[in-house]
Amino acid sequence: MTNFLMIDVSSINSNISRSSFQEEDLATLADMILESGGLLKPLVLRKIGFEKYEVVDGHFEYYAAVKAREKNPSEGEMVNAFVIVPEEEDLALNQLSVLKQVDFSEQTLQTPDRNSNFQQISTNYELSSLEKQVSELRIELMQERQNLYDSIQSLQNKAPRNITPLEVFNTLTVLDLVFRLRTGGFNDKKAVQIAEIIEKERNKKQFESLSDVITRVKIKTGKRLLKGISADKMVQIVDTWSRVQY
């Protein structure tokens, strides 16, 4: 359902303005992040591009992580986060909605209401009793969150992992590459030939981009070296791979 990853803070953005939060509050949490070696509550992100992410939940924590990076770039470079798989985004958003409702209920219990019976409590015993109830609710909430994270991790482990086209060229075996290239429109002979060239090139140096693949994967025809995968063919391959479940 999600990937639990360490993400570069600079690759994340938020659709909520930083000015929505007090810089003093952000600085306080930023110092805590640096002192403890990381953010205890992971951000919830959606992927919006190649190594680009958008905050779904945890906007305040995100800007605190940005502040931590500003204070200490070497220590605050990465932040832990759950990256929602697009196919499961609605389910994840529903779960976050439930958690926010529980958070609101907890805040209501902890925040005195001037018009409520809470103001009428006059003994230490009653105050102690209420604090105990709040503490128990907090423990239940923490357990519920942990169960949620465990469930997400379990689903992720069971679900097949979708890899990017660049990862396909850099990591798959020759046999798997042949299969992928065949689904992309190459005949058996051409698919085998290109797969072997890809393996030879990436052993020299990993491909840095799809354009790099197009440039370096060349087939010798007579005395000429021709591109094994043209730009148009690469577009066709990526489009096919995005629609086929492997």
Side-chain angles (χ1 to χ4, degrees):
M1 185 176 182
T2 65
N3 294 316
F4 184 74
L5 304 169
M6 294 296 293
I7 303 294
D8 191 324
V9 174
S10 63
S11 67
I12 306 171
N13 63 58
S14 169
N15 58 12
I16 293 180
S17 172
R18 179 169 175 169
S19 61
S20 301
F21 309 102
Q22 295 293 328
E23 282 296 321
E24 182 178 351
D25 295 336
L26 295 176
T28 298
L29 181 55
D31 290 338
M32 293 179 179
I33 291 171
L34 293 173
E35 289 172 4
S36 62
L39 184 63
L40 295 182
K41 178 185 177 185
L43 303 179
V44 179
L45 310 175
R46 67 163 60 92
K47 192 168 186 179
I48 58 174
F50 181 68
E51 295 185 355
K52 294 293 181 183
Y53 306 87
E54 183 180 67
V55 178
V56 175
D57 186 68
H59 299 274
F60 175 76
E61 291 87 347
Y62 159 65
Y63 282 118
V66 172
K67 188 73 173 179
R69 190 171 189 270
E70 293 170 355
K71 286 173 170 282
N72 190 332
S74 63
E75 294 294 331
E77 183 178 8
M78 309 296 286
V79 64
N80 52 322
F82 284 107
V83 180
I84 299 174
V85 176
E87 294 80 4
E88 301 294 342
E89 182 170 333
D90 289 341
L91 291 175
L93 292 177
N94 288 338
Q95 292 178 359
L96 287 171
S97 177
V98 171
L99 286 177
K100 286 181 179 179
Q101 291 176 17
V102 176
D103 277 340
F104 178 79
S105 299
E106 183 185 43
Q107 291 169 10
T108 301
L109 283 173
Q110 295 182 70
T111 304
D113 182 356
R114 295 178 181 178
N115 299 317
S116 71
N117 292 332
F118 181 76
Q119 283 186 319
Q120 300 174 16
I121 297 177
S122 59
T123 67
N124 290 334
Y125 174 80
E126 290 173 311
L127 284 171
S128 177
S129 176
L130 182 59
E131 289 172 356
K132 181 180 179 181
Q133 292 177 37
V134 173
S135 178
E136 290 174 349
L137 284 173
R138 185 182 292 110
I139 292 172
E140 290 178 6
L141 174 60
M142 292 176 64
Q143 185 60 52
E144 184 174 346
R145 282 177 172 167
Q146 185 60 52
N147 291 339
L148 171 62
Y149 294 150
D150 290 343
S151 297
I152 288 173
Q153 194 63 47
S154 176
L155 288 172
Q156 176 59 32
N157 292 336
K158 294 178 181 177
R161 177 175 175 265
N162 292 323
I163 62 176
T164 66
L166 184 59
E167 287 178 306
V168 170
F169 289 114
N170 275 325
T171 63
L172 292 192
T173 65
V174 171
L175 287 178
D176 288 336
L177 274 171
V178 170
F179 174 73
R180 288 284 190 127
L181 291 169
R182 287 173 59 193
T183 63
F186 289 101
N187 60 41
D188 291 347
K189 181 179 179 181
K190 191 75 172 288
V192 171
Q193 187 179 14
I194 293 176
E196 291 175 345
I197 296 171
I198 289 171
E199 184 183 39
K200 187 179 297 183
E201 285 295 319
R202 75 188 184 193
N203 285 340
K204 298 176 185 177
K205 181 183 177 183
Q206 289 277 286
F207 296 109
E208 296 179 354
S209 65
L210 295 180
S211 297
D212 191 24
V213 177
I214 294 172
T215 301
R216 291 166 53 192
V217 176
K218 295 182 178 180
I219 296 176
K220 189 172 183 180
T221 304
K223 295 183 179 181
R224 299 175 60 191
L225 283 176
L226 302 177
K227 289 182 178 179
I229 304 175
S230 66
D232 289 341
K233 191 64 175 179
M234 182 64 79
V235 171
Q236 179 187 341
I237 290 171
V238 172
D239 179 62
T240 301
W241 290 352
S242 69
R243 290 184 281 104
V244 177
Q245 293 295 322
Y246 293 96

Tab-separated table of all heavy atoms in Angstrom, residues 216-238:
chain	number	residue	atom	x	y	z
A	216	ARG	N	23.398	5.449	-25.422
A	216	ARG	CA	24.456	4.443	-25.271
A	216	ARG	C	24.140	3.067	-25.862
A	216	ARG	O	25.058	2.297	-26.162
A	216	ARG	CB	24.796	4.294	-23.783
A	216	ARG	CG	25.478	5.522	-23.211
A	216	ARG	CD	25.505	5.496	-21.685
A	216	ARG	NE	26.084	4.257	-21.177
A	216	ARG	CZ	26.017	3.893	-19.898
A	216	ARG	NH1	25.383	4.667	-19.024
A	216	ARG	NH2	26.569	2.760	-19.496
A	217	VAL	N	22.868	2.741	-26.005
A	217	VAL	CA	22.512	1.413	-26.533
A	217	VAL	C	22.483	1.485	-28.064
A	217	VAL	O	21.536	2.002	-28.659
A	217	VAL	CB	21.143	0.946	-25.975
A	217	VAL	CG1	20.746	-0.379	-26.609
A	217	VAL	CG2	21.220	0.815	-24.468
A	218	LYS	N	23.555	0.988	-28.674
A	218	LYS	CA	23.690	1.050	-30.136
A	218	LYS	C	23.958	-0.337	-30.709
A	218	LYS	O	24.636	-1.159	-30.094
A	218	LYS	CB	24.819	2.007	-30.516
A	218	LYS	CG	24.538	3.458	-30.131
A	218	LYS	CD	25.653	4.388	-30.567
A	218	LYS	CE	25.335	5.824	-30.218
A	218	LYS	NZ	26.405	6.755	-30.638
A	219	ILE	N	23.414	-0.566	-31.894
A	219	ILE	CA	23.564	-1.855	-32.582
A	219	ILE	C	24.453	-1.652	-33.807
A	219	ILE	O	24.253	-0.716	-34.591
A	219	ILE	CB	22.192	-2.404	-33.012
A	219	ILE	CG1	21.334	-2.706	-31.777
A	219	ILE	CG2	22.356	-3.655	-33.849
A	219	ILE	CD1	19.929	-3.155	-32.127
A	220	LYS	N	25.427	-2.559	-33.974
A	220	LYS	CA	26.331	-2.461	-35.114
A	220	LYS	C	25.687	-3.106	-36.328
A	220	LYS	O	25.324	-4.280	-36.318
A	220	LYS	CB	27.657	-3.146	-34.791
A	220	LYS	CG	28.729	-2.910	-35.849
A	220	LYS	CD	30.078	-3.446	-35.393
A	220	LYS	CE	31.154	-3.137	-36.430
A	220	LYS	NZ	32.489	-3.654	-36.016
A	221	THR	N	25.520	-2.305	-37.367
A	221	THR	CA	24.964	-2.792	-38.627
A	221	THR	C	25.983	-2.518	-39.730
A	221	THR	O	26.154	-1.370	-40.154
A	221	THR	CB	23.629	-2.090	-38.958
A	221	THR	OG1	22.726	-2.282	-37.871
A	221	THR	CG2	23.032	-2.658	-40.232
A	222	GLY	N	26.667	-3.571	-40.130
A	222	GLY	CA	27.771	-3.372	-41.072
A	222	GLY	C	28.880	-2.606	-40.378
A	222	GLY	O	29.390	-3.013	-39.353
A	223	LYS	N	29.230	-1.448	-40.926
A	223	LYS	CA	30.243	-0.593	-40.308
A	223	LYS	C	29.610	0.563	-39.537
A	223	LYS	O	30.321	1.412	-39.002
A	223	LYS	CB	31.173	-0.030	-41.389
A	223	LYS	CG	31.999	-1.094	-42.098
A	223	LYS	CD	32.939	-0.460	-43.103
A	223	LYS	CE	33.793	-1.521	-43.797
A	223	LYS	NZ	34.734	-0.909	-44.771
A	224	ARG	N	28.298	0.569	-39.462
A	224	ARG	CA	27.601	1.683	-38.819
A	224	ARG	C	27.061	1.266	-37.442
A	224	ARG	O	26.707	0.108	-37.227
A	224	ARG	CB	26.446	2.153	-39.700
A	224	ARG	CG	26.894	2.650	-41.066
A	224	ARG	CD	25.693	2.975	-41.926
A	224	ARG	NE	24.863	4.015	-41.327
A	224	ARG	CZ	23.643	4.336	-41.763
A	224	ARG	NH1	23.106	3.661	-42.776
A	224	ARG	NH2	22.960	5.285	-41.165
A	225	LEU	N	27.016	2.228	-36.539
A	225	LEU	CA	26.381	2.025	-35.237
A	225	LEU	C	25.067	2.796	-35.214
A	225	LEU	O	25.038	4.015	-35.385
A	225	LEU	CB	27.302	2.525	-34.104
A	225	LEU	CG	28.487	1.632	-33.725
A	225	LEU	CD1	29.339	2.328	-32.677
A	225	LEU	CD2	27.985	0.295	-33.192
A	226	LEU	N	23.994	2.063	-35.061
A	226	LEU	CA	22.665	2.673	-35.043
A	226	LEU	C	22.049	2.547	-33.651
A	226	LEU	O	22.371	1.635	-32.888
A	226	LEU	CB	21.757	1.988	-36.071
A	226	LEU	CG	22.251	2.010	-37.524
A	226	LEU	CD1	21.281	1.237	-38.402
A	226	LEU	CD2	22.404	3.445	-38.014
A	227	LYS	N	21.170	3.468	-33.339
A	227	LYS	CA	20.491	3.424	-32.042
A	227	LYS	C	19.637	2.162	-31.933
A	227	LYS	O	18.845	1.853	-32.820
A	227	LYS	CB	19.602	4.658	-31.855
A	227	LYS	CG	20.375	5.945	-31.646
A	227	LYS	CD	19.431	7.124	-31.427
A	227	LYS	CE	20.213	8.408	-31.180
A	227	LYS	NZ	19.317	9.574	-30.988
A	228	GLY	N	19.815	1.438	-30.829
A	228	GLY	CA	19.012	0.239	-30.614
A	228	GLY	C	17.585	0.586	-30.228
A	228	GLY	O	16.643	-0.151	-30.527
A	229	ILE	N	17.434	1.730	-29.537
A	229	ILE	CA	16.104	2.199	-29.124
A	229	ILE	C	16.004	3.675	-29.485
A	229	ILE	O	16.715	4.514	-28.922
A	229	ILE	CB	15.889	2.025	-27.608
A	229	ILE	CG1	16.113	0.570	-27.182
A	229	ILE	CG2	14.498	2.477	-27.213
A	229	ILE	CD1	16.030	0.347	-25.676
A	230	SER	N	15.131	3.988	-30.411
A	230	SER	CA	14.949	5.386	-30.788
A	230	SER	C	14.123	6.105	-29.732
A	230	SER	O	13.510	5.476	-28.860
A	230	SER	CB	14.240	5.477	-32.138
A	230	SER	OG	12.906	4.984	-32.026
A	231	ALA	N	14.089	7.435	-29.819
A	231	ALA	CA	13.307	8.223	-28.862
A	231	ALA	C	11.823	7.868	-28.961
A	231	ALA	O	11.137	7.710	-27.938
A	231	ALA	CB	13.517	9.711	-29.113
A	232	ASP	N	11.327	7.724	-30.190
A	232	ASP	CA	9.913	7.372	-30.374
A	232	ASP	C	9.628	5.984	-29.816
A	232	ASP	O	8.577	5.744	-29.199
A	232	ASP	CB	9.540	7.422	-31.858
A	232	ASP	CG	9.486	8.844	-32.405
A	232	ASP	OD1	9.387	9.776	-31.573
A	232	ASP	OD2	9.555	9.019	-33.624
A	233	LYS	N	10.562	5.063	-30.028
A	233	LYS	CA	10.377	3.702	-29.521
A	233	LYS	C	10.402	3.690	-27.990
A	233	LYS	O	9.646	2.943	-27.353
A	233	LYS	CB	11.489	2.796	-30.053
A	233	LYS	CG	11.236	1.306	-29.798
A	233	LYS	CD	10.001	0.819	-30.539
A	233	LYS	CE	9.801	-0.673	-30.394
A	233	LYS	NZ	8.589	-1.150	-31.078
A	234	MET	N	11.246	4.542	-27.398
A	234	MET	CA	11.303	4.611	-25.941
A	234	MET	C	9.969	5.097	-25.378
A	234	MET	O	9.493	4.592	-24.356
A	234	MET	CB	12.439	5.538	-25.501
A	234	MET	CG	12.592	5.638	-23.983
A	234	MET	SD	13.062	4.060	-23.207
A	234	MET	CE	14.824	4.043	-23.577
A	235	VAL	N	9.364	6.079	-26.035
A	235	VAL	CA	8.054	6.570	-25.596
A	235	VAL	C	7.025	5.442	-25.641
A	235	VAL	O	6.226	5.261	-24.727
A	235	VAL	CB	7.588	7.749	-26.474
A	235	VAL	CG1	6.133	8.110	-26.154
A	235	VAL	CG2	8.485	8.955	-26.251
A	236	GLN	N	7.058	4.652	-26.736
A	236	GLN	CA	6.133	3.523	-26.880
A	236	GLN	C	6.360	2.483	-25.782
A	236	GLN	O	5.408	1.960	-25.193
A	236	GLN	CB	6.312	2.875	-28.253
A	236	GLN	CG	5.397	1.672	-28.482
A	236	GLN	CD	5.719	0.959	-29.789
A	236	GLN	OE1	6.347	1.517	-30.680
A	236	GLN	NE2	5.307	-0.287	-29.909
A	237	ILE	N	7.642	2.198	-25.487
A	237	ILE	CA	7.978	1.206	-24.460
A	237	ILE	C	7.463	1.646	-23.099
A	237	ILE	O	6.812	0.878	-22.383
A	237	ILE	CB	9.513	1.002	-24.405
A	237	ILE	CG1	10.000	0.267	-25.658
A	237	ILE	CG2	9.915	0.234	-23.151
A	237	ILE	CD1	11.501	0.208	-25.784
A	238	VAL	N	7.761	2.889	-22.718
A	238	VAL	CA	7.343	3.403	-21.407
A	238	VAL	C	5.823	3.405	-21.291
A	238	VAL	O	5.269	3.051	-20.245
A	238	VAL	CB	7.911	4.817	-21.183
A	238	VAL	CG1	7.319	5.437	-19.911
A	238	VAL	CG2	9.429	4.765	-21.080
